Amino acid sequence: MTTTIVHFLVNGRPERAEFRDDCSAAEVKALFRAAAEASPRHVLKMFASDGRRMNISPKMQTNDPESVYRLELVAADQSRVGMSQELDSMEDRLQHLESRVMEEAGGELLCDLKKQVESFKKKLESVEHLSWMGLFKEHGHQELSQKPKSLELSELEERLQVRRKYLNMSSLQVTEEVREHLKTPIFDNWQWEKAEMLMLLQVMFTDLDFLSAFHIKLDVLQNFLFEVSCHYNNIPFHNFRHCFCVTQMMYGLIWLTDLRSQFTRIDLLIMLTSALCHDLDHPGYNNVFQINAQTDLALLYNDISPLENHHCAVAFSIMAKPECNILQNLSNENFKLIRGGMIRCILATDMVRHNDILTQFRSLQPEFDFTNKEHKEVLMKIMMKVSDISNEARPMSVAEPWLDCLLQEFFNQSDTEKLKGLPVSPFMDREKVSKPSSQTSFIGFVLLPLFSELTKLFPCLQQHIVEPVQQALKYYSDLERAGREETSREETSREETSREETSRE
């Protein structure tokens, strides 16, 4: 058993971390997070003495005080939690008021409760990202779609800053350690800023040799990647970081399964670019909401996969710009191949199609033929689906924050459905869903059957995606069971208390 000793600077002060090689990545990150006095939502960045970006993991190299590393702390992203905090705070206040009303039955308190509800409605009306479905009410004489100038300026400045950072670091070499880590499902997305994620996406395209194979100019690729990042909305889950995670998982699966020897480079480009574009301009409200609310997207696409059709349309509208068109040097025939493949892969992410695609893949399994066009197209859909819902295949320290983000987006939707008088999806209702309950059925009935089926074709994936998901299922099943036992104990205690009070009377 070897011990790694890392000397580093954080906030200008020297620190020393010591850990054994059997420590988990989460334990190592926790050491550095404690040294930086950082919260779980902060981004930690480690640099070598020569300025190279390093991956924080148990494989870090021992150094000495003369070649000290540098640990930087990047401000937490508060945008992912704001709405949830407002809702939770309001819910707590309403519950408190309700208990006081039950105790005192005061008319004045009922009025106070109504005021709280009206205040909450006004807050929702001021949330600009709800403008497209009619809840947002901008005050004054501005047009509904017009953003305040200060907000526009702020967003523009932020985008320009990201672009400058990205282009400045694009000339730097990514270490071999990071390149290899990028090919694995255990990659930790939470360590990287937006500009750095753009750089890593560039690495994926270059390492798969797409630039030379398809005559893509580097500046065109950079423009394309940046423009894609700008078309992901600032919402809790379906944001640019999710896009990066799905693309990185697809990239990892391509390497782990050695698909480069079975697929053409066009097939690989289709898969990676589809992953990159699969949720472009996602509004944070799913297809069921679009259809029930009769939104413009549902009307435009006749209730048929409205979001997925929209993601495809946005992707090709970006590539319609010459400065972003990574396909501009392809023949018409190859362009049509890639466009058709991307549309198939992105539409496959609509969960309404899940069972049909999985059943089709199962029917091909006994005699799967990599030279058969139909077989390959089904496999590409399966790979896209696995990548899209692969969070639970990652280490718990990476996966669990994503569950928090997903539930926040679900709860936002169900709250809106209640306000609009629309049917509420049970798995999105904050009053009915808990973290364990939301995961046990999803992992058991969706993830494991899908992942296990892919593993039949690629047995090497058993340890990479199936075993971690099995561990996640056990973790959430244990939590769910503990929750039921606790509820049962509380109910028993209340019954005993009630009987005692009755006997005293």
Side-chain angles (χ1 to χ4, degrees):
M1 196 76 63
T2 60
T3 299
T4 300
I5 299 175
V6 174
H7 298 271
F8 62 98
L9 291 173
V10 57
N11 297 326
R13 69 178 188 274
E15 292 283 354
R16 180 177 181 271
E18 185 173 334
F19 50 88
R20 298 186 308 179
D21 58 3
D22 62 343
C23 283
S24 67
E27 290 170 334
V28 173
K29 287 164 193 165
L31 279 176
F32 291 106
R33 195 173 294 282
E37 299 178 353
S39 75
R41 294 192 181 276
H42 280 79
V43 176
L44 297 182
K45 297 164 62 176
M46 184 72 79
F47 297 91
S49 55
D50 58 4
R52 291 179 297 111
R53 176 70 189 273
M54 301 176 60
N55 191 52
I56 300 176
S57 74
K59 295 182 180 179
M60 293 179 68
Q61 297 297 313
T62 294
N63 64 344
D64 53 59
E66 283 69 41
S67 58
V68 65
Y69 298 156
R70 176 167 49 88
L71 180 65
E72 287 188 3
L73 174 64
V74 180
D77 179 4
Q78 297 295 336
S79 63
R80 295 186 284 121
V81 297
M83 190 63 170
S84 179
Q85 290 173 340
E86 288 289 342
L87 292 171
D88 291 343
S89 176
M90 177 58 67
E91 186 171 296
D92 290 342
R93 292 201 296 273
L94 289 178
Q95 289 176 351
H96 177 64
L97 284 168
E98 183 179 66
S99 64
R100 289 176 61 193
V101 168
M102 294 298 291
E103 291 173 2
E104 303 177 24
E108 185 177 333
L109 289 177
L110 286 172
C111 292
D112 191 13
L113 177 60
K114 290 179 181 179
K115 288 178 182 178
Q116 293 278 352
V117 172
E118 287 303 315
S119 174
F120 180 56
K121 285 183 178 178
K122 288 179 181 178
K123 281 188 176 182
L124 278 181
E125 290 171 355
S126 67
V127 176
E128 189 160 335
H129 76 265
L130 301 180
S131 62
W132 59 276
M133 58 186 185
L135 284 179
F136 175 69
K137 296 180 181 178
E138 187 161 349
H139 303 289
H141 302 289
Q142 291 179 308
E143 292 296 325
L144 187 65
S145 61
Q146 182 182 351
K147 294 182 180 180
K149 290 184 179 179
S150 60
L151 182 58
E152 287 182 347
L153 183 60
S154 174
E155 287 182 354
L156 179 60
E157 287 175 344
E158 181 181 344
R159 288 183 179 182
L160 289 176
Q161 185 180 29
V162 169
R163 182 176 176 81
R164 281 195 298 270
K165 280 186 177 181
Y166 167 41
L167 295 180
N168 286 339
M169 68 176 61
S170 65
S171 60
L172 302 176
Q173 288 295 318
V174 176
T175 64
E176 191 61 30
E177 178 195 2
V178 171
R179 284 180 185 270
E180 289 305 311
H181 197 51
L182 195 60
K183 298 174 183 176
T184 69
I186 63 173
F187 188 85
D188 184 357
N189 66 90
W190 300 111
Q191 288 191 39
W192 307 87
E193 293 182 85
K194 192 171 187 178
E196 294 167 329
M197 288 188 284
L198 285 167
M199 179 60 195
L200 293 175
L201 289 170
Q202 180 179 312
V203 168
M204 297 179 205
F205 274 76
T206 54
D207 280 7
L208 288 173
D209 202 29
F210 291 158
L211 275 71
S212 59
F214 302 111
H215 308 291
I216 303 172
K217 295 180 179 178
L218 180 58
D219 63 328
V220 173
L221 174 64
Q222 291 171 338
N223 290 336
F224 172 69
L225 295 176
F226 175 72
E227 195 68 18
V228 164
S229 74
C230 292
H231 280 78
Y232 276 91
N233 295 318
N234 188 19
I235 54 180
F237 184 86
H238 291 97
N239 48 42
F240 177 65
R241 191 174 292 275
H242 167 68
C243 145
F244 172 81
C245 284
V246 174
T247 310
Q248 185 271 321
M249 182 60 75
M250 178 68 82
Y251 179 72
L253 292 176
I254 288 171
W255 285 97
L256 288 171
T257 59
D258 194 26
L259 273 188
R260 293 170 302 143
S261 64
Q262 303 282 2
F263 277 9
T264 67
R265 198 162 269 115
I266 281 184
D267 295 330
L268 300 181
L269 180 65
I270 288 171
M271 294 165 67
L272 198 72
T273 311
S274 297
L276 184 70
C277 300
H278 82 285
D279 271 331
L280 279 167
D281 197 35
H282 197 297
Y285 298 84
N286 70 6
N287 280 331
V288 173
F289 181 93
Q290 308 295 321
I291 294 167
N292 287 339
Q294 298 181 26
T295 65
D296 289 345
L297 288 181
L299 295 175
L300 179 62
Y301 295 109
N302 302 311
D303 295 349
I304 301 172
S305 301
L307 287 179
E308 290 72 24
N309 275 298
H310 180 59
H311 304 326
C312 292
V314 175
F316 285 97
S317 70
I318 291 173
M319 283 187 274
K321 302 175 182 178
E323 67 275 15
C324 300
N325 188 3
I326 59 173
L327 307 179
Q328 59 187 300
N329 292 320
L330 297 181
S331 65
N332 288 336
E333 182 182 356
N334 283 340
F335 174 81
K336 289 178 181 178
L337 280 175
I338 292 174
R339 175 171 163 79
M342 285 182 60
I343 291 171
R344 281 193 299 273
C345 284
I346 294 175
L347 290 182
T349 62
D350 185 351
M351 289 303 293
V352 169
R353 304 168 186 246
H354 176 82
N355 288 331
D356 290 342
I357 296 172
L358 185 56
T359 300
Q360 191 178 9
F361 185 56
R362 281 194 179 118
S363 70
L364 303 176
Q365 276 284 30
E367 299 176 350
F368 190 89
D369 182 3
F370 280 97
T371 64
N372 184 301
K373 180 175 178 290
E374 180 188 352
H375 289 204
K376 281 181 24 176
E377 288 179 355
V378 176
L379 176 57
M380 290 164 75
K381 293 178 186 177
I382 290 291
M383 296 283 279
M384 185 69 237
K385 290 177 60 59
V386 168
S387 299
D388 188 26
I389 55 176
S390 61
N391 282 332
E392 293 306 328
R394 300 181 185 275
M396 188 60 67
S397 60
V398 178
E400 197 160 18
W402 275 119
L403 177 56
D404 294 333
C405 295
L406 182 62
L407 289 178
Q408 182 185 339
E409 199 167 288
F410 281 176
F411 294 160
N412 286 350
Q413 174 169 323
S414 65
D415 291 339
T416 303
E417 287 169 335
K418 292 174 185 178
L419 286 170
K420 297 281 283 184
L422 299 172
V424 178
S425 304
F427 66 92
M428 293 186 175
D429 193 337
R430 67 172 68 243
E431 296 174 2
K432 299 178 181 178
V433 174
S434 66
K435 285 175 68 171
S437 67
S438 72
Q439 287 303 87
T440 50
S441 58
F442 182 70
I443 293 174
F445 294 106
V446 179
L447 288 191
L448 273 178
L450 176 65
F451 287 19
S452 298
E453 205 62 39
L454 182 61
T455 302
K456 291 178 183 177
L457 186 61
F458 300 111
C460 63
L461 295 180
Q462 176 71 24
Q463 62 175 316
H464 294 292
I465 63 173
V466 173
E467 290 176 7
V469 169
Q470 290 172 333
Q471 293 168 9
L473 178 59
K474 181 180 184 306
Y475 171 76
Y476 286 112
S477 297
D478 290 345
L479 283 181
E480 189 174 25
R481 183 167 52 255
R484 286 197 301 266
E485 291 173 355
E486 178 64 24
T487 300
S488 177
R489 284 195 295 270
E490 290 176 354
E491 289 176 351
T492 301
S493 176
R494 283 196 295 269
E495 290 173 359
E496 290 176 351
T497 301
S498 177
R499 283 196 297 269
E500 289 175 1
E501 291 176 349
T502 302
S503 63
R504 283 199 296 269
E505 291 174 356

